[in-house]
Amino acid sequence: MDLGTLIGIVLSFGLVLSAIMTGSSLIIFVSVPSLLIVVGGTIGAGLVNYPMNYIIGVIGVIKNTFFSSLDSPAEIIDRFKDYANRARREGILSLEPLIKEIDDDYMRKGLQLTVDGLEPQTIQEILETEISYLAERHATGADVVSALGTLAPAMGMIGTVIGLVQMLQTMSDPSSIGPAMAVALLTTLYGALIANLILMPMAGKLKARSKEEILLREMIMEGILSISKGENPRIIEEKLNSYLPPKDRIVSE
């Protein structure tokens, strides 16, 4: 689980709530009509902007900001050193029994193509296509979340206008001015909070997570191509290390 996302949300909302409770009661900042305008309006506008399956899929996309199942670069390098050593000692077909034990679909597919005897250029074309469409799917998910983050403050402004209109129409009744003004201001607050503390930061996290996964996929592709060419395990390690910052590189003893 990504503690950074969880800590960030808890910390940001916690500080906002603490500031509110320091000066007044929290209950006066609760408005069901404001929440319906912002949340309902944002989802509705999102459905107009994107196909329904995109909006429904946002739940799974947001989940990726909390959970990550990516292998560490060090683990990937160790795996390919082992695979390369096996391939040099026992032949490329010795990797076939190991393929079923690999959880990563991308790595499993690449090694299977290698074992099947495809040319390195063909393997590279297939794996690069996989990376290309992976990047496109990730970009779409981040764009949807970002678009919802843009729509939320706009719906807050619409709620503000609604509240002001209600207030102006009932100026003769002083008791109705307060609730109408509350809806006007709270919708803006809700839209700003949802956009700036949840949706926009999550869109940024998704983009960062996508870059991280693409980098790991490129490392895996480099390792697979090197094995298919029969390169020395030491050379493979150096190639894969080049994808990492100097401080994170693995130094063999």
Side-chain angles (χ1 to χ4, degrees):
M1 185 172 185
D2 188 340
L3 291 178
T5 302
L6 182 61
I7 292 173
I9 291 176
V10 172
L11 181 63
S12 58
F13 273 99
L15 291 175
V16 170
L17 293 176
S18 297
I20 289 173
M21 295 176 68
T22 299
S24 62
S25 171
L26 183 61
I27 194 67
I28 66 173
F29 285 85
V30 177
S31 172
V32 175
S34 298
L35 194 62
L36 290 176
I37 291 171
V38 174
V39 175
T42 300
I43 294 174
L47 287 171
V48 175
N49 196 34
Y50 290 99
M52 183 177 292
N53 62 306
Y54 282 39
I55 302 300
I56 294 174
V58 163
I59 297 174
V61 170
I62 290 177
K63 184 181 69 175
N64 292 333
T65 64
F66 289 95
F67 301 97
S68 175
S69 58
L70 299 178
D71 293 332
S72 67
E75 184 178 348
I76 291 175
I77 293 174
D78 286 341
R79 280 191 178 190
F80 276 105
K81 284 171 60 181
D82 178 58
Y83 296 155
N85 283 319
R86 284 174 177 266
R88 284 174 66 87
R89 289 196 313 264
E90 306 169 23
I92 196 68
L93 292 178
S94 65
L95 299 178
E96 189 163 17
L98 303 177
I99 293 176
K100 296 179 181 179
E101 302 174 3
I102 299 174
D103 295 328
D104 189 303
D105 292 337
Y106 184 79
M107 184 183 295
R108 185 169 59 247
K109 180 176 184 178
L111 285 177
Q112 186 63 63
L113 294 173
T114 302
V115 170
D116 289 343
L118 273 70
E119 292 294 324
Q121 183 177 355
T122 303
I123 297 174
Q124 182 174 359
E125 290 174 356
I126 294 172
L127 296 182
E128 284 180 344
T129 301
E130 290 268 357
I131 292 176
S132 176
Y133 282 103
L134 173 72
E136 185 175 334
R137 290 193 300 272
H138 285 184
T140 299
D143 287 346
V144 173
V145 177
S146 181
L148 294 177
T150 303
L151 291 169
M155 296 310 304
M157 291 302 298
I158 290 174
T160 297
V161 173
I162 292 172
L164 290 175
V165 170
Q166 292 175 340
M167 183 185 69
L168 292 173
Q169 287 183 339
T170 58
M171 290 291 288
S172 59
D173 182 7
S175 64
S176 66
I177 295 176
M181 193 63 181
V183 171
L185 296 179
L186 288 176
T187 46
T188 298
L189 176 64
Y190 289 170
L193 289 176
I194 291 173
N196 294 295
L197 296 186
I198 300 179
L199 294 176
M200 297 304 287
M202 283 185 171
K205 176 61 71 69
L206 288 170
K207 292 176 182 177
R209 189 67 55 75
S210 176
K211 291 179 180 178
E212 180 184 355
E213 185 169 354
I214 289 171
L215 176 65
L216 293 179
R217 291 286 182 265
E218 290 175 347
M219 284 183 64
I220 291 171
M221 180 176 66
E222 186 65 49
I224 289 170
L225 293 175
S226 297
I227 290 176
S228 69
K229 296 173 185 176
E231 294 181 353
N232 186 286
R234 177 64 179 172
I235 295 176
I236 294 176
E237 180 183 14
E238 290 298 327
K239 280 187 174 182
L240 299 185
N241 265 327
S242 66
Y243 285 84
L244 306 177
K247 64 183 181 64
D248 295 332
R249 292 176 182 176
I250 298 174
V251 179
S252 298
E253 299 179 359

